[in-house]
């Protein structure tokens, strides 16, 4: 896109969703998370870390961006995708980070698909990948639905999206508000864009965009100009996919409206240092509480073991998750992690 059309887009694209715009025109109330200069977090307890606190930490992290990935021992299982081609009613496969393949009632759903070896604004500088994807992109079964939680590079990866769209011309991409343009610029038109609590039906499944407490941005000039979210998919069974989020009151609301969930996919990594991360990334203990708030039955911890993003050791999140689940007196299998490439039924 040239500079003029980019500028025009920045100026002309309405911040409000069509539904919210209509509401505004009718004299209705603007949704609380639609701020004057971008989207905002609405939980009363939300307090973002200040620039003065954040800047030194970011400066310290810059060396990671240019370096090779450190070694990390993340358990994995060989998966060539052949078993996934025989659709079974309910399977879940962890590919890495927040990329999960879910088969559900004859449909194949992929969440935040990222296969790149570095995630960041440039191919040569970004958070390095420490573990190979558990399933090669060319070994995926045909994909029907792709869910995108927000536009951060470790969730919205250009190379992966373009390859997926090429291989799956009929796949529908579900995105939060103001992420559609990014797809359209790449010629991808099968995109459904929703605000929180909005959704649509797709081949028998109901898909709803639900809140999260986070932020967005891919460059210095677009902070919070697109929305962040989680997703609920309901058919005969119910699935919750959590994008990045701090722990907050949204989860109890989602649980009330759409729970109980048969399977919850909840982030358990990128939580240290707590002082800076807690508003926007939950820790494993909060992930267990989120699962309980959602009224989940089985939880798989995601968003760990893949990219170097924050200060906790790469292998730590599953240990902390097991401790937190035990402290809550939950059954052993209720809150777990999977091996890369592992498939389970749910
Ligand atoms: Zn994020
Ligand atoms: Zn993330």
């Amino acid at each position: 896109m040239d500079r003029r059309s980019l500028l025009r887009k920045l100026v002309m694209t309405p911040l409000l969703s069509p539904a919210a715009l209509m509401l505004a025109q009718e004299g209705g109330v603007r949704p609380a998370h639609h701020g004057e200069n971008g989207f905002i977090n609405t939980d009363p307890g939300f307090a973002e870390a200040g620039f003065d606190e954040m800047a030194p930490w970011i400066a310290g992290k810059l060396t990671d961006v240019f370096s090779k990935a450190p070694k990390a021992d993340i358990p994995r299982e060989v998966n060539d995708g052949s078993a996934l081609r025989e659709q079974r009613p309910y399977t879940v496969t962890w590919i890495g980070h927040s990329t999960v393949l879910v088969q559900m009632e004859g449909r194949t759903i992929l969440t935040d698909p990222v296969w790149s070896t570095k995630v960041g604004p440039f191919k040569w500088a970004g958070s390095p990948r420490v573990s190979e994807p558990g399933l090669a992109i060319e070994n995926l079964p045909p994909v029907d639905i792709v869910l995108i939680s927000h536009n951060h590079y470790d969730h919205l990866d250009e190379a992966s999206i373009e390859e997926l769209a090429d291989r799956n011309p009929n796949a529908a991409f579900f995105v939060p508000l103001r992420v559609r343009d990014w797809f359209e610029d790449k010629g991808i038109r099968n995109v459904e864009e929703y605000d929180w609590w909005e959704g649509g039906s797709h081949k028998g499944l109901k898909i709803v965009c639900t809140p999260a407490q986070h932020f967005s941005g891919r460059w210095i000039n677009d902070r919070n100009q697109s929305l962040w979210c989680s997703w609920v998919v309901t058919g005969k069974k119910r699935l919750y996919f959590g994008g990045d989020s701090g722990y907050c009151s949204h989860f109890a609301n989602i649980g009330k409206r759409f729970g109980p969930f048969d399977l919850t996919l909840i982030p358990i990594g990128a939580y240290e240092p707590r002082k800076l991360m807690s508003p926007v990334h939950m820790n494993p203990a909060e992930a267990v509480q989120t699962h309980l708030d959602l009224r989940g039955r089985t939880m798989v911890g995601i968003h760990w073991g893949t990219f170097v993003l924050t200060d906790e050791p790469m292998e730590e999140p599953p240990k902390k998750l097991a401790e937190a689940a035990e402290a809550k007196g939950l059954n052993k299998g209720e809150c777990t992690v999977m091996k890369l490439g592992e498939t389970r039924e749910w």
Side-chain angles (χ1 to χ4, degrees):
M1 194 190 320
D2 61 41
R3 273 207 351 234
R4 246 182 66 192
S5 52
L6 180 70
L7 195 70
R8 190 169 50 88
K9 182 170 266 179
L10 285 172
V11 176
M12 298 299 290
T13 312
L15 178 60
L16 302 181
S17 67
L21 262 181
M22 248 160 62
L23 210 66
Q25 281 157 6
E26 288 163 9
V29 182
R30 182 158 76 173
H33 60 290
H34 292 231
E36 292 290 335
N37 301 310
F39 295 100
I40 54 174
N41 288 301
T42 53
D43 195 286
F46 178 77
E48 207 167 7
F51 180 78
D52 290 355
E53 290 176 305
M54 208 62 177
W57 182 80
I58 291 173
K61 279 275 149 195
L62 277 179
T63 45
D64 286 353
V65 168
F66 298 100
S67 44
K68 278 195 172 159
K71 282 211 173 340
D73 191 18
I74 310 300
R76 60 187 304 123
E77 208 170 281
V78 177
N79 189 339
D80 66 1
S82 52
L84 296 167
R85 284 168 206 290
E86 303 144 27
Q87 265 269 1
R88 284 178 279 164
Y90 299 99
T91 71
V92 54
T93 304
W94 187 46
I95 296 172
H97 208 52
S98 295
T99 310
V100 182
L101 186 100
V102 177
Q103 291 175 309
M104 179 170 178
E105 298 167 27
R107 308 293 167 217
T108 296
I109 303 164
L110 194 60
T111 63
D112 286 353
V114 180
W115 268 264
S116 289
T117 51
K118 270 193 182 270
V119 286
F122 307 105
K123 280 201 172 67
W124 46 270
S127 302
R129 186 167 200 131
V130 300
S131 53
E132 294 279 306
L135 186 62
I137 199 163
E138 56 272 19
N139 286 339
L140 289 175
V143 174
D144 301 293
I145 295 159
V146 180
L147 304 177
I148 302 293
S149 66
H150 64 303
N151 74 355
H152 282 157
Y153 287 93
D154 60 318
H155 298 261
L156 182 62
D157 177 49
E158 187 167 354
S160 303
I161 294 291
E162 287 185 331
E163 186 161 355
L164 277 170
D166 276 354
R167 289 176 179 274
N168 302 274
N170 296 321
F173 292 83
F174 285 73
V175 305
L177 276 191
R178 295 194 89 195
V179 176
R180 187 209 305 262
D181 286 352
W182 185 91
F183 283 80
E184 295 204 333
D185 284 346
K186 288 160 186 51
I188 301 170
R189 308 246 170 265
N190 201 4
V191 181
E192 299 206 23
E193 186 184 78
Y194 291 110
D195 199 356
W196 290 351
W197 306 114
E198 291 179 343
S201 289
H202 191 81
K203 298 182 178 173
L205 295 175
K206 195 174 156 203
I207 301 171
V208 181
C209 175
T210 44
Q213 180 171 290
H214 198 58
F215 63 111
S216 70
R218 290 173 80 79
W219 195 235
I220 41 177
N221 60 351
D222 65 343
R223 191 174 166 89
N224 295 349
Q225 296 305 300
S226 64
L227 188 58
W228 46 94
C229 73
S230 55
W231 291 96
V232 166
V233 183
T234 59
K236 291 187 190 77
K237 285 194 178 186
R238 288 158 186 265
L239 167 74
Y240 173 82
F241 165 56
D244 288 350
S245 183
Y247 177 71
C248 59
S249 59
H250 291 317
F251 304 115
N253 290 333
I254 298 168
K256 226 180 270 166
R257 277 170 90 156
F258 296 108
F261 291 97
D262 300 277
L263 176 64
T264 63
L265 306 171
I266 299 178
I268 60 167
Y271 49 83
E272 290 287 356
R274 287 315 284 147
K275 198 165 171 245
L276 303 183
M277 294 302 148
S278 68
V280 288
H281 286 288
M282 61 181 76
N283 67 14
E286 290 167 333
V288 169
Q289 189 57 51
T290 295
H291 166 75
L292 295 173
D293 292 355
L294 287 164
R295 300 195 288 143
R297 291 187 176 129
T298 306
M299 165 192 163
V300 172
I302 59 172
H303 201 262
W304 72 280
T306 314
F307 294 106
V308 184
L309 299 171
T310 48
D311 289 354
E312 77 274 9
M314 292 301 293
E315 293 96 342
E316 187 183 85
K319 293 174 201 153
K320 296 268 180 195
L321 178 69
E323 285 167 19
E326 198 185 333
K328 288 273 179 200
L330 303 181
N331 288 335
K332 234 184 162 166
E334 182 166 339
C335 298
T336 60
V337 293
M338 298 175 71
K339 294 178 192 163
L340 290 158
E342 181 186 351
T343 298
R344 282 185 201 162
E345 306 224 346
W346 60 283

